[in-house]
Amino acid sequence: MNEMVQNSSKASGTRATRQRAARDAASTPGADRVRINDPDRTMANILQVATAEFADKGLAGARIDEIAALTSTSKRMIYYYFGSKEGLYVAVLEDAYRRIRRIESELHLEDLAPEQALRTLVGFTVDYQLANPDFIRLVMNENMHRGEFISQSTTIQELNIPVIHAVRDVYQRGVAAGVFRPDVDPVDLHMSISALCFFNVANRHTFGAIFKRSLDTPAATAQRRESIIEMIVRFLRP
């Protein structure tokens, strides 16, 4: 376990060093590397395009040549920034989790009463995952790899600590106020929220086809959103 963490930290440090070096290379006269005017913007563009490619085709199906063409850069520069195709894939996973966790931190759940905070968190999760199906596809693809690459990233592990703290804080405040029952594990609660919201996106096409329901209409989306919120809230009530 320690060896895995050490290797992951070493890989993350190497990637960060490589990215800093690329920024320096962009402004170094006479450098024989590919010159770019805005390294940060270029990396962000690569991540955006790579996110769509990996989400659509998976790690095996995505092609660095295609990502390079769509970003008007080169395979050489992509490898310089991210080290390898797998390194880019891990960076895409990190970026995906970083985005959702950053927005979650802006919900200010601590300023809301426990039940309202819970409703806000669940509603946000429903809305975010529905609006970002690429995130769902990335997670599905990584589960097909049995978490092989996500387990290499200490960054993702660290990014997910605050959301558990937030869920635990909302839950414990609710227990103290007598509005939530006192026998629920916060990680299990987080899993239940994620499961309902995830299924809502991952299985909507097959579920809709099997049961002949249109799940993409505004009315159906709003109804399902409210249903998910109510299920979680009622699950916690004493």
Side-chain angles (χ1 to χ4, degrees):
M1 180 65 179
N2 290 335
E3 182 179 356
M4 179 185 295
V5 171
Q6 290 171 358
N7 289 340
S8 175
S9 299
K10 182 177 180 180
S12 298
T14 301
R15 185 163 61 249
T17 300
R18 188 181 294 112
Q19 291 170 354
R20 286 195 299 269
R23 296 189 190 100
D24 294 340
S27 59
T28 301
D32 56 2
R33 299 185 180 91
V34 177
R35 294 177 61 86
I36 48 179
N37 294 325
D38 191 340
D40 290 325
R41 183 175 180 180
T42 298
M43 284 188 286
N45 189 31
I46 292 170
L47 286 173
Q48 181 180 13
V49 170
T51 293
E53 288 294 301
F54 285 127
D56 185 46
K57 302 170 185 174
L59 175 59
R63 295 288 179 263
I64 294 296
D65 283 329
E66 182 68 13
I67 296 171
L70 291 170
T71 55
S72 299
T73 182
S74 65
K75 288 177 64 175
R76 180 175 175 231
M77 184 55 72
I78 291 175
Y79 286 136
Y80 190 76
Y81 282 140
F82 301 102
S84 63
K85 181 181 181 181
E86 290 75 15
L88 175 58
Y89 174 69
V90 171
V92 162
L93 289 172
E94 291 175 346
D95 190 57
Y97 276 96
R98 186 176 292 109
R99 287 197 304 272
I100 186 172
R101 298 311 176 215
R102 182 179 65 247
I103 301 174
E104 281 174 344
S105 70
E106 297 171 355
L107 296 176
H108 301 294
L109 301 176
E110 67 278 4
D111 297 331
L112 303 173
E115 183 172 318
Q116 185 56 47
L118 180 64
R119 288 178 178 275
T120 298
L121 177 61
V122 177
F124 161 77
T125 307
V126 173
D127 295 340
Y128 185 89
Q129 295 196 5
L130 191 61
N132 295 273
D134 279 357
F135 176 73
I136 302 300
R137 295 188 188 104
L138 285 170
V139 175
M140 291 172 65
N141 280 318
E142 181 56 13
N143 273 285
M144 292 176 67
H145 289 285
R146 300 180 183 272
E148 175 186 353
F149 296 96
I150 207 169
S151 65
Q152 297 174 17
S153 172
T154 55
T155 296
I156 293 177
Q157 296 170 36
E158 292 167 358
L159 284 169
N160 283 280
I161 292 174
V163 69
I164 295 301
H165 287 171
V167 171
R168 180 180 290 112
D169 177 70
V170 169
Y171 171 67
Q172 290 178 344
R173 288 196 293 116
V175 171
V179 296
F180 297 155
R181 58 191 177 92
D183 58 346
V184 176
D185 174 49
V187 175
D188 184 67
L189 174 58
H190 175 60
M191 182 184 293
S192 297
I193 295 170
S194 298
L196 286 169
C197 298
F198 191 95
F199 185 97
N200 192 46
V201 179
N203 292 62
R204 59 180 168 169
H205 299 298
T206 52
F207 204 85
I210 290 170
F211 296 102
K212 308 304 179 186
R213 288 190 176 186
S214 177
L215 303 178
D216 291 330
T217 66
T221 299
Q223 182 179 17
R224 185 60 190 161
R225 182 183 193 273
E226 184 62 23
S227 180
I228 292 172
I229 294 172
E230 284 299 315
M231 277 190 280
I232 294 296
V233 170
R234 295 185 187 190
F235 169 68
L236 288 183
R237 282 177 179 163

